[in-house]
Amino acid sequence: MPLPITWMLCFLFAFSVNADYSTQDWWWSYTCNNGQCIRSNDPNVNSTPAVQNLLNVCRISCGQYGSLWPQPSGHTAISSRILTFHPSKMYFDLNIVGNKIANDFVVTSTNIFLNNLFTECEGNCSIRSNTEIEVSIKTTSPDLSLTWRTDEGYTIALSSGGNQVSVEIEAATVFGARHGLETLSQLITGYELNGRHGLAIVSHARISDKPFYSHRGLLLDTSRNFLPLNAIKRTLDGMAASKLNVFHWHATDSHSFPLESPRVPQLSRFGAYSAKEVYHPTDIAELISYAYQRGIQVILELDGPAHAGYGWQWGSEFGLGDLAVCVNQQPWRDYCIQPPCGQLNPSNPNLFKVMKDLFRDVIDLFSHGSVLHLGGDEVFFPCWNSTEEIVDWMQKQGLGRSVTDFLEVWGQYQETVLKLWDEQVGHDRTPIMLWSSHLTDPLIIERYLDKDRYIIETWVDKSDELPQLLLSKGYRVIFATKNAWYLDHGFWGSTAYYKWNVVYDNRLPFGFKGVLGGEVAMWGELVDEFSLDAKVWPRAAAMAERVWSNPDTSSLAAQNRMLEQRERLVRRSINAEAITPEWCYQNDGYCS
C-alpha cells in the first residue's frame, strides 16, 4: 500500500541529507614523466596539490620545450623547478640602441607582455608572492625596418636565487626583443587555487632562437566578406603569439573594393558593400601600426588584371570609358572563374591613370620600401576575347586571338603596371609579388617577369614541381600549398579540410636559396568576423612552427604543445577551435 505523504517527505529528506556530498574543490595532480604531464589515477580529494602539480604549471616545464610555441630553433634548456610571483613585482631594465622610437617600441612590447600575463590569471592576479623578477632587455642595432632581411633572433637567460629572478633578453633588433618577450610569456602560466589566481614561472631557462624562414605569412581576404578592424586585430594578436611576421591583406577582388582611395574615391564608393564596410586611411594606418608593434609587416594585395569588378565599373559614367570589362556578366562561367565576373581593361589608357593615383595613395600609407602584391592569377582569356574594344586594340598591334597573343597582352599589362609603380615610388627596387599563373609557367616566365623584381607565390598542390622549377631558374618563391595551407578548404565543393597536423607536416623543399617561406590562406567566401577565429586558429599556429623552426620531427611530437597553444590563444580572447576532447588535453599520450 502507498506510504503516507508525511512518511514520503521524511524519506526524501533523509535521502537528500545522505546524498549531500562535499562540494569542496578537488584537483587532479600531475607529474612530468618522459615529456608528458601524467595525471594521477585518483583525484586528490579535499587537499590542495602543490602548485607545480597543476596541469598547466606542469606543462611549462615538462619536456625539452615545455609549452613554447613555436619550438625554438636553437639551444633550449628549461628547468623543472617552479616559482610563483605577482606581476606587480616584475621590473624592466631597457638598454635599447637607437632613438626614442626604438625605446618606445620596446616599452609598448612590455605593456603587451604584461597584458598577456593578466590573461593568464583571468585578469585578477590575487595570489601574492615575495618573488621579484627583473627583466633586462638589450638590443644592439638601431634598425627599425621590418623586412625579409630583419634580424629577428634573440636569446633568453633566466636564472633565480632565493626570491630573486633575473631574465636577460638580448637581440639585435627591437623585433627580436619582442619575440623574446613572447617566449618569456610562454615560460609563465596562470594557476588557480581555492578560487584565487596566481602566476608561476620556471626557475631557470636558456634559449637561443631565430626563424628558419624570413616570410611567415597569413592571408586574410576582406573582399568576399568584410572584416571589421577588431576581427583583423585579433588575427594579428594570434600571429604575434605564434611569431608569424607577414599579414597578407587580400583587400580587393571582383566582389568588392573596400579600400578608400582619397585620390580615387569612386573605387570604394562603387565597390564597397556599404558605407560602413570601408577601410578609411585612418583605419589602414591603425592596422599597419598595430601589426608593426607586433613584429608583423602588412603586404597589401590589389588584385588584377582578373578578380577586378565592383569598384572599377564607374569609368564610363565619369567619361573614362570601361576601366573593367565583363563586370557581373552572365552566364558567369563563360567570362570568369568565379562570380561576379570582372577583369581590368588593358586597352584603356585611363585605367593606368587611375592606377597611378591609387598607387600614390598606397605609397602615402605604406612605406616606400614596402612589398606590393598585384595578384595576377586566373586571368580568363574568354573575357578579353569577347570584348570588342580589346580585340580591336590587339589587332592594331598585329596580335591575333590565340592564347599566345593574350599572354602577350597580359605581359604588357604587367610591364606597364610595374613601370607605373616604380615611377610613383621613385626607384625600381621594391619587390612585387604575384600569384602563380599561366604567366609564371617556367617555359615562358622569363619572357615576361624579371626574376630580380618579381616574387612568385605558388598555390599548387604539394606534389606539384612548379615551385622547384621556378627556384631552379633563380626566382624567389613563397609557398601557399593549396592542399595543406588553404584554410578555406573543406567547407565547399570537393575540397578537404586540413587538420592542424596536416598543416604542420607540410614541409618546404631544401637546397634552394630562393625559398622565402610560406603562408596559410584564409579565403573569405565562407568566413566572416563570427567564424574567422575558429577557421584560422590554431591551424595557422601549426604552420607558424613549420616556418619558424622547420623541425625535423612530425606533428605527433608537437601535439602536447599544440594543445597548450590552443588554450593560450583562447585565454587571449581568440576563439580557436577545439582540436581534441578535454579528456585528451588532460591525459597526455592517450589520444595520439
Side-chain angles (χ1 to χ4, degrees), residues 368-404:
H368 284 211
S370 294
V371 180
L372 180 67
H373 201 304
L374 288 175
D377 66 325
E378 297 185 329
V379 173
F380 202 65
F381 294 154
C383 167
W384 282 346
N385 196 27
S386 67
T387 305
E388 184 177 354
E389 177 185 354
I390 294 176
V391 172
D392 290 345
W393 172 73
M394 292 174 64
Q395 288 178 343
K396 291 178 181 177
Q397 297 185 71
L399 297 174
R401 301 171 76 167
S402 69
V403 169
T404 301

Side-chain angles (χ1 to χ4, degrees), residues 27-33 36-39 44 48-62 79-84 189-193 199-203:
W27 298 264
W28 297 102
S29 183
Y30 293 83
T31 54
C32 181
N33 186 6
Q36 294 184 328
C37 291
I38 304 301
R39 188 169 77 170
N44 192 0
T48 304
V51 169
Q52 64 265 24
N53 296 129
L54 298 173
L55 175 57
N56 51 333
V57 177
C58 174
R59 286 196 187 279
I60 64 171
S61 62
C62 189
S79 169
S80 61
R81 194 164 74 90
I82 298 295
L83 299 171
T84 61
T189 190
Y191 65 92
E192 180 181 355
L193 290 176
L199 293 173
I201 185 172
V202 299
S203 63

Side-chain angles (χ1 to χ4, degrees), residues 497-515:
Y497 179 89
Y498 311 119
K499 295 188 290 186
W500 78 267
N501 56 306
V502 175
V503 174
Y504 186 98
D505 290 330
N506 181 49
R507 298 171 183 267
L508 303 186
F510 291 104
F512 297 96
K513 79 171 188 176
V515 179

Side-chain angles (χ1 to χ4, degrees), residues 155-169:
T155 61
I156 292 180
L158 189 158
S159 59
S160 63
N163 290 329
Q164 301 292 320
V165 176
S166 172
V167 181
E168 296 179 358
I169 298 175

Side-chain angles (χ1 to χ4, degrees), residues 460-468 479 481-483 506:
V460 295
D461 286 352
K462 62 180 72 174
S463 61
D464 198 304
E465 294 183 351
L466 173 65
Q468 289 88 332
F479 286 71
T481 311
K482 185 167 62 172
N483 61 339
N506 181 49

Side-chain angles (χ1 to χ4, degrees), residues 105 108-109 112 115 146 175 178-179 233 236-241 243-245 288-297:
F105 181 100
T108 301
S109 295
I112 295 171
N115 286 337
L146 184 55
F175 306 105
R178 191 224 73 86
H179 293 326
K233 286 181 177 180
L236 293 171
D237 288 339
M239 293 176 66
K243 298 189 178 76
L244 291 171
N245 70 339
I288 293 171
S289 176
Y290 194 90
Y292 180 84
Q293 182 60 59
R294 286 153 182 79
I296 301 166
Q297 64 168 315

Side-chain angles (χ1 to χ4, degrees), residues 138 189 201 206 237 255 268 325 357 398 438 505 524 540 592:
K138 178 182 178 182
T189 190
I201 185 172
R206 287 192 174 273
D237 288 339
H255 302 72
S268 60
V325 296
D357 288 336
H438 294 306
D505 290 330
S592 299

Side-chain angles (χ1 to χ4, degrees), residues 55 330 353 434 442:
L55 175 57
Q330 294 290 345
K353 294 178 182 178
L434 289 177

